[in-house]
Short mmCIF file of all heavy atoms in Angstrom, two decimals:
data_model
loop_
_atom_site.label_atom_id
_atom_site.label_comp_id
_atom_site.label_asym_id
_atom_site.label_seq_id
_atom_site.Cartn_x
_atom_site.Cartn_y
_atom_site.Cartn_z
N ALA A 202 18.24 -16.65 0.38
CA ALA A 202 19.15 -16.61 -0.77
C ALA A 202 18.55 -15.79 -1.89
O ALA A 202 19.23 -14.97 -2.53
CB ALA A 202 19.45 -18.03 -1.23
N TRP A 203 17.27 -15.99 -2.17
CA TRP A 203 16.58 -15.25 -3.24
C TRP A 203 16.64 -13.75 -2.96
O TRP A 203 16.83 -12.95 -3.88
CB TRP A 203 15.14 -15.73 -3.33
CG TRP A 203 14.34 -15.13 -4.44
CD1 TRP A 203 14.20 -15.60 -5.71
CD2 TRP A 203 13.55 -13.92 -4.39
NE1 TRP A 203 13.37 -14.77 -6.46
CE2 TRP A 203 12.96 -13.73 -5.66
CE3 TRP A 203 13.29 -12.99 -3.39
CZ2 TRP A 203 12.13 -12.65 -5.96
CZ3 TRP A 203 12.45 -11.91 -3.68
CH2 TRP A 203 11.89 -11.75 -4.94
N LYS A 204 16.50 -13.37 -1.71
CA LYS A 204 16.52 -11.94 -1.36
C LYS A 204 17.89 -11.32 -1.62
O LYS A 204 17.98 -10.17 -2.06
CB LYS A 204 16.11 -11.75 0.11
CG LYS A 204 14.63 -11.93 0.36
CD LYS A 204 14.29 -11.55 1.79
CE LYS A 204 12.81 -11.52 2.02
NZ LYS A 204 12.47 -11.01 3.37
N LEU A 205 18.96 -12.05 -1.35
CA LEU A 205 20.30 -11.51 -1.66
C LEU A 205 20.51 -11.46 -3.18
O LEU A 205 21.13 -10.51 -3.68
CB LEU A 205 21.37 -12.37 -1.00
CG LEU A 205 21.87 -11.87 0.36
CD1 LEU A 205 22.69 -10.59 0.22
CD2 LEU A 205 20.75 -11.65 1.35
N MET A 206 19.99 -12.44 -3.89
CA MET A 206 20.07 -12.40 -5.34
C MET A 206 19.32 -11.19 -5.88
O MET A 206 19.77 -10.52 -6.82
CB MET A 206 19.49 -13.70 -5.92
CG MET A 206 20.31 -14.93 -5.59
SD MET A 206 19.43 -16.49 -5.90
CE MET A 206 19.33 -16.48 -7.69
N ARG A 207 18.20 -10.88 -5.27
CA ARG A 207 17.40 -9.73 -5.68
C ARG A 207 18.17 -8.42 -5.51
O ARG A 207 17.92 -7.45 -6.23
CB ARG A 207 16.12 -9.70 -4.85
CG ARG A 207 15.19 -8.53 -5.14
CD ARG A 207 13.96 -8.59 -4.24
NE ARG A 207 13.13 -7.42 -4.45
CZ ARG A 207 13.26 -6.26 -3.80
NH1 ARG A 207 14.21 -6.15 -2.86
NH2 ARG A 207 12.47 -5.25 -4.04
N ARG A 208 19.12 -8.39 -4.58
CA ARG A 208 19.93 -7.18 -4.40
C ARG A 208 21.21 -7.22 -5.22
O ARG A 208 22.09 -6.38 -5.01
CB ARG A 208 20.27 -7.00 -2.91
CG ARG A 208 19.05 -6.78 -2.02
CD ARG A 208 18.20 -5.61 -2.48
NE ARG A 208 18.95 -4.35 -2.52
CZ ARG A 208 18.46 -3.22 -3.02
NH1 ARG A 208 17.24 -3.19 -3.53
NH2 ARG A 208 19.19 -2.12 -3.01
N GLY A 209 21.31 -8.17 -6.15
CA GLY A 209 22.42 -8.18 -7.09
C GLY A 209 23.54 -9.14 -6.78
O GLY A 209 24.52 -9.20 -7.52
N CYS A 210 23.43 -9.90 -5.68
CA CYS A 210 24.52 -10.80 -5.26
C CYS A 210 24.35 -12.20 -5.86
O CYS A 210 23.37 -12.89 -5.54
CB CYS A 210 24.54 -10.94 -3.74
SG CYS A 210 24.94 -9.44 -2.84
N PRO A 211 25.28 -12.67 -6.67
CA PRO A 211 25.28 -14.09 -7.02
C PRO A 211 25.46 -14.92 -5.75
O PRO A 211 26.08 -14.48 -4.78
CB PRO A 211 26.48 -14.25 -7.95
CG PRO A 211 26.74 -12.86 -8.47
CD PRO A 211 26.37 -11.94 -7.35
N VAL A 212 24.90 -16.12 -5.76
CA VAL A 212 24.88 -16.96 -4.56
C VAL A 212 25.61 -18.26 -4.84
O VAL A 212 25.40 -18.90 -5.89
CB VAL A 212 23.43 -17.22 -4.11
CG1 VAL A 212 23.34 -18.44 -3.21
CG2 VAL A 212 22.87 -16.00 -3.40
N VAL A 213 26.47 -18.65 -3.90
CA VAL A 213 27.11 -19.97 -3.91
C VAL A 213 26.40 -20.81 -2.86
O VAL A 213 26.57 -20.60 -1.66
CB VAL A 213 28.61 -19.87 -3.59
CG1 VAL A 213 29.23 -21.27 -3.51
CG2 VAL A 213 29.33 -19.03 -4.64
#
Side-chain angles (χ1 to χ4, degrees):
W203 184 91
K204 285 187 172 186
L205 265 291
M206 294 165 69
R207 179 181 176 272
R208 296 305 302 173
C210 294
V212 160
V213 176

